[in-house]
């Protein structure tokens, strides 16, 4: 897929944020009309209170879907958009665009680490996500205590804590959680 527009490309923290992922199949020859419609609905949603960003991902070709992504501050902001007259107006004006929703997922917090691109399977149970996160955090904590923390001893507590949190966050997001979720994939989502 090729990114067309993406704002606020950070991974949601487990602070109540909601990521809404919608897959739509577009009939061949109607891609331009769909893209105009999709950009309009995304721009309309972006004006809503609590909307944090969006993305539109084109189909990789053939029968592969297009993806629309919205991020909201919380479930209430997401619900307000989904129940809004503005959204209803966009869907009332989509006849002739030849596209169909084929999947929809709401991801919150840690679920985004376990979502497989293009998959519509639900996230694993929270207890499995907690075990997986613990398995990812443990080696980072041990190695950080051995190699990083001793070098930060001279810094004020708040500054050293910020450095540790930043390093741990980056390692969790880009190294540990992808590796653990790959290794445990069969157990997480049998």
């Amino acid at each position: 897929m090729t990114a067309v527009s993406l704002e606020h490309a950070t991974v949601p923290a487990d602070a109540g944020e909601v990521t809404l992922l919608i897959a739509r199949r577009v009939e061949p020859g109607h891609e331009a009309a769909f893209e105009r419609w999709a950009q309009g609905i995304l721009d309309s949603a972006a004006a809503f209170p609590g909307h944090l960003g969006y993305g539109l991902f084109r189909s990789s070709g053939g029968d592969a879907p297009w993806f629309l992504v919205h991020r909201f501050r919380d479930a209430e902001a997401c619900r307000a958009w989904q129940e809004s007259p503005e959204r209803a107006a966009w869907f009332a004006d989509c006849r002739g665009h030849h596209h169909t929703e084929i999947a929809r997922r709401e991801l919150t917090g840690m679920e985004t680490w376990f979502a497989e691109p293009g998959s519509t399977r639900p996230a694993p149970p929270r207890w499995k996500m907690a075990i997986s996160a613990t398995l990812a955090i443990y080696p980072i904590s041990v190695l950080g205590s051995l190699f990083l923390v001793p070098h930060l001893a001279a810094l004020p507590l708040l500054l050293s804590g910020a450095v540790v949190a930043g390093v741990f966050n980056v390692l969790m997001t880009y190294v540990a959680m992808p590796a653990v979720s790959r290794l445990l994939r069969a157990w997480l989502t049998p």
Side-chain angles (χ1 to χ4, degrees), residues 65 68 93 125:
L68 289 85
D93 185 36

Side-chain angles (χ1 to χ4, degrees), residues 37-47 51 54-56 68-70 81:
W37 176 84
Q39 193 60 55
I41 200 168
L42 291 167
D43 289 341
S44 181
H51 191 276
Y54 64 80
L56 174 61
L68 289 85
V69 181
H70 295 281
W81 161 248

Side-chain angles (χ1 to χ4, degrees), residues 16-76:
E17 291 180 19
V18 175
T19 300
L20 183 60
L21 175 65
I22 302 121
R24 297 191 78 81
R25 184 156 294 124
V26 180
E27 292 178 22
H30 299 278
E31 296 87 355
F34 170 75
E35 192 166 358
R36 284 190 299 276
W37 176 84
Q39 193 60 55
I41 200 168
L42 291 167
D43 289 341
S44 181
F48 256 68
H51 191 276
L52 301 177
Y54 64 80
L56 174 61
F57 298 89
R58 295 177 184 202
S59 168
S60 59
D63 207 25
W66 290 59
F67 289 94
L68 289 85
V69 181
H70 295 281
R71 282 190 54 228
F72 295 92
R73 176 187 60 236
D74 52 31
E76 185 178 319

Side-chain angles (χ1 to χ4, degrees), residues 111-136:
E111 293 169 0
T112 57
W113 277 336
F114 298 94
E116 292 180 47
S119 171
T120 57
R121 290 191 308 201
R126 284 188 175 262
W127 67 270
K128 287 186 177 184
M129 290 190 287
I131 289 171
S132 301
T134 300
L135 291 173

Side-chain angles (χ1 to χ4, degrees), residues 167-188:
V167 170
F168 280 30
N169 183 37
V170 168
L171 290 174
M172 279 291 292
T173 302
Y174 295 104
V175 180
M177 284 310 299
V180 167
S181 60
R182 254 191 324 275
L183 288 170
L184 300 179
R185 181 169 290 141
W187 176 72
L188 287 165

